Amino acid sequence: MSQKKIFLVFVAISTVSLLLHHGGHLSWTMGAFHIGCPALRSHPAPGLKPKHTNVVFLKTHKTASTTMQNLLFRFAERNNLTAALPVQACGHQFCYPRSFTSHFVHPHTLPPNIITSHMRFNKPELQRLMPNDTIYITILREPGSMFESLISYYNQYCQSFKRVPNGSLEAFLEEPWKYYQPDEKDSMYARNTLTFDLGGDKDRPAKDEAYARGFVAEVDRVFSLVMIAEYFDESLVLLRHLLSWDLDDILYVKLNMRTPSSKRSLTPGLSSKIRAWNSLDARLYDHFNASLWRQLSVLGLACVAREVLLLRRAQESLMRSCFGGRMPLLRSAAQIKNKDLRPWQPSGKVDIVGYDLPVNLSHGFSSQAHELCLKLIMPEVQYTQVLLRSQSLRYRRSYQLRPQQQTHPIQQPIRTVLLRHPQVQRSQPPPAAAGPASGTRSTSTSKPAAGTQGRTTKIGPRSAQTQAL
């Protein structure tokens, strides 16, 4: 029997065991853990390691990474940490798809503890920016469902998809080179997107086994945890243990989801074609999916199953408290009254849903509790703007308190010329990197900066205090 099937059996047995133990009420308690499983203690507690607070999360595309970003933003705010955020010219991403550089970071968000906005990975730049003890994490998704999501989400922006009659997935996969042009705008969404995000060469031939093995090995050396979207909760259990966080720190609500009508099921034949076209991504996924289950086995599948149950119960309790005692209903953007909670819509062909808080929620709620509920369901673009405002205010206050002799002369602000589309300001994708992420293993990671094409970007010295919001 496979590890995954064994795990599902443990989940079922644990559910029955907990229900019997608690008289039919599955309560969120530390006593739900049986002897032999690690105790689920919360900080502060004797013997617990301090929470690890320096984290890079490489936010990949269409992998549940927006949900993970929201979790990290809330952790940063709750612990008075600094999250690196993009300069205004980059929008809410670090000038993706250009290779990341520290010039893309807003000066009011330096020095950072956490970085979690979309970027193309550049290990040397991140090493210069982040503390030496930084832990690197990312997330992958099964290539078939991920590619179906990409073509649905970016069909109005990626030229390779726009050329396909009726945006047909079947037509694209039948003759991908008829529609795909490697060096044009947004081509990274049409082939090996995970590899590109990780700093690799998305167009390296599948027959280049040496490159594929080396790239996977480098990612494995650099990232302490590679989460798997299909096993998101199990991945969070590993994350909690890796960072010595509490259960409260990994609570979440799913964000940036499509309606069921915007999705399509895949036949085995289509899935095979997707894997063949995205062979590097498929190799990454297969390797790190297996790696995830090895790590879960070390913790003990029964213990993981019970911790997942406690996580889901705690999440349900939190959501019911935020939504007036009931589970939240997904709503279209048009149905959401609070504009700060409306998710961005990529096109008229796909509907991204979100949540709206009950109108009477504030009655009997503290302002702090209301803000927690609001941030829990806030979309990426709006949360990035809110967080930048709050961190800029904190920066200005701290700057005013510095002794005069420690202040720095005002530098010229960054000037970046970028064209826009409705979601982000983007530059032309760089040529694909020649090899896998390089460098020795520290707790950091990966790949080369490449030149840009087709657009002009002028970058001057960063401003220490005058960068516009």
Side-chain angles (χ1 to χ4, degrees), residues 119-182:
M119 68 167 71
R120 189 178 187 208
F121 193 71
N122 184 338
K123 175 180 165 184
E125 282 291 308
L126 284 164
Q127 283 180 309
R128 282 191 283 271
L129 180 69
M130 298 297 295
N132 291 334
D133 67 344
T134 296
I135 288 178
Y136 288 74
I137 298 162
T138 190
I139 186 168
L140 308 181
R141 181 180 176 185
E142 190 279 316
S145 61
M146 178 180 167
F147 195 74
E148 183 277 326
S149 181
L150 285 165
I151 199 169
S152 169
Y153 200 85
Y154 292 109
N155 66 79
Q156 297 301 301
Y157 303 105
C158 176
Q159 295 299 316
S160 299
F161 295 152
K162 288 181 72 173
R163 294 189 187 95
V164 183
N166 300 316
S168 168
L169 178 60
E170 290 86 352
F172 179 87
L173 293 171
E174 192 66 33
E175 299 179 279
W177 286 106
K178 179 179 178 180
Y179 308 106
Y180 175 73
Q181 295 183 17

Side-chain angles (χ1 to χ4, degrees), residues 355-424:
Y355 309 91
D356 211 354
L357 290 178
V359 177
N360 60 349
L361 178 65
S362 57
H363 299 320
F365 249 54
S366 68
S367 59
Q368 187 177 10
H370 185 272
E371 183 179 4
L372 167 64
C373 294
L374 190 69
K375 298 286 181 64
L376 186 69
I377 59 175
M378 187 172 286
E380 173 183 6
V381 176
Q382 292 95 317
Y383 204 159
T384 299
Q385 294 167 348
V386 167
L387 193 54
L388 179 57
R389 284 196 294 269
S390 66
Q391 291 190 164
S392 290
L393 180 60
R394 185 174 66 187
Y395 173 88
R396 292 190 182 102
R397 286 172 176 168
S398 66
Y399 188 85
Q400 291 169 357
L401 295 175
R402 294 175 193 170
Q404 187 64 36
Q405 63 270 25
Q406 292 184 10
T407 60
H408 302 287
I410 296 175
Q411 297 175 301
Q412 293 299 313
I414 295 175
R415 299 183 182 276
T416 306
V417 181
L418 293 172
L419 300 181
R420 302 187 62 176
H421 82 49
Q423 185 187 17
V424 295

Side-chain angles (χ1 to χ4, degrees), residues 167-215:
S168 168
L169 178 60
E170 290 86 352
F172 179 87
L173 293 171
E174 192 66 33
E175 299 179 279
W177 286 106
K178 179 179 178 180
Y179 308 106
Y180 175 73
Q181 295 183 17
D183 298 325
E184 72 182 357
K185 177 180 180 292
D186 292 344
S187 65
M188 65 281 176
Y189 297 129
R191 193 180 194 200
N192 288 316
T193 307
L194 294 172
T195 299
F196 183 88
D197 287 353
L198 284 160
D201 182 353
K202 63 183 174 62
D203 295 302
R204 184 61 63 114
K207 62 184 179 182
D208 192 340
E209 279 287 319
Y211 177 84
R213 284 195 303 270
F215 185 71

Side-chain angles (χ1 to χ4, degrees), residues 40-152:
L40 193 62
R41 296 180 295 166
S42 297
H43 291 79
L48 279 186
K49 291 192 302 183
K51 294 182 184 182
H52 196 94
T53 56
N54 295 322
V55 178
V56 166
F57 173 69
L58 179 66
K59 189 177 188 295
T60 49
H61 287 82
K62 311 314 300 172
T63 58
S65 63
T66 298
T67 300
M68 187 63 195
Q69 180 192 52
N70 179 279
L71 183 156
L72 289 167
F73 276 171
R74 287 183 286 111
F75 180 84
E77 288 197 287
R78 203 162 50 246
N79 293 278
N80 199 32
L81 304 174
T82 299
L85 299 171
V87 293
Q88 187 180 34
C90 289
H92 68 285
Q93 305 178 352
F94 288 111
C95 285
Y96 184 87
R98 295 171 60 197
S99 188
F100 175 79
T101 169
S102 58
H103 291 291
F104 298 157
V105 180
H106 198 292
H108 293 183
T109 66
L110 293 172
N113 303 103
I114 289 173
I115 188 164
T116 178
S117 299
H118 276 304
M119 68 167 71
R120 189 178 187 208
F121 193 71
N122 184 338
K123 175 180 165 184
E125 282 291 308
L126 284 164
Q127 283 180 309
R128 282 191 283 271
L129 180 69
M130 298 297 295
N132 291 334
D133 67 344
T134 296
I135 288 178
Y136 288 74
I137 298 162
T138 190
I139 186 168
L140 308 181
R141 181 180 176 185
E142 190 279 316
S145 61
M146 178 180 167
F147 195 74
E148 183 277 326
S149 181
L150 285 165
I151 199 169
S152 169

